[in-house]
Amino acid sequence: MAGRILECRKILFNKLKELGTPGTWNHVVDQKGMFGFTGLNAKQVEFLAKKYHIYLLNSGRINICGITSHNVEYVAKAIYDAVTSVTD
């Protein structure tokens, strides 16, 4: 299970970097455990829920286990959109 979580973190990190998502995303792979802090703010989290139906805590914490090789592109593109479209 731990290996799968690390792989989920790695594929999300790689996709965010590939898309050129603004910001530093090293924290995605540096953290441990099932949940991870994305660094997204409450408005960006709300944007993800309304536009993409991706749900995470208002603090920006996401369930890493929900990210798979099948949905990582969708999740990463949604995060890219949130980061580039929603500002405080």
Side-chain angles (χ1 to χ4, degrees):
M1 183 58 140
R4 182 185 179 288
I5 292 170
L6 291 173
E7 185 63 24
C8 292
R9 289 180 177 281
K10 190 167 83 175
I11 62 173
L12 178 60
F13 171 79
N14 289 337
K15 188 56 72 173
L16 289 169
K17 295 300 278 181
E18 179 184 310
L19 292 170
T21 309
T24 303
W25 296 99
N26 292 343
H27 58 279
V28 171
V29 290
D30 291 343
Q31 298 173 43
K32 298 191 183 335
M34 289 179 52
F35 297 91
F37 181 69
T38 61
L40 300 176
N41 64 41
K43 288 184 181 188
Q44 292 166 329
V45 168
E46 182 180 2
F47 176 83
L48 287 177
K50 285 184 177 179
K51 185 170 181 181
Y52 292 98
H53 301 283
I54 296 173
Y55 303 97
L56 51 155
L57 298 177
N58 284 340
S59 64
R61 289 182 62 83
I62 192 169
N63 183 340
I64 297 297
C65 294
I67 300 168
T68 68
S69 58
H70 299 291
N71 68 11
V72 69
E73 186 150 349
Y74 181 81
V75 173
K77 285 182 177 179
I79 291 172
Y80 176 89
D81 191 17
V83 169
T84 58
S85 300
V86 181
T87 58
D88 276 341

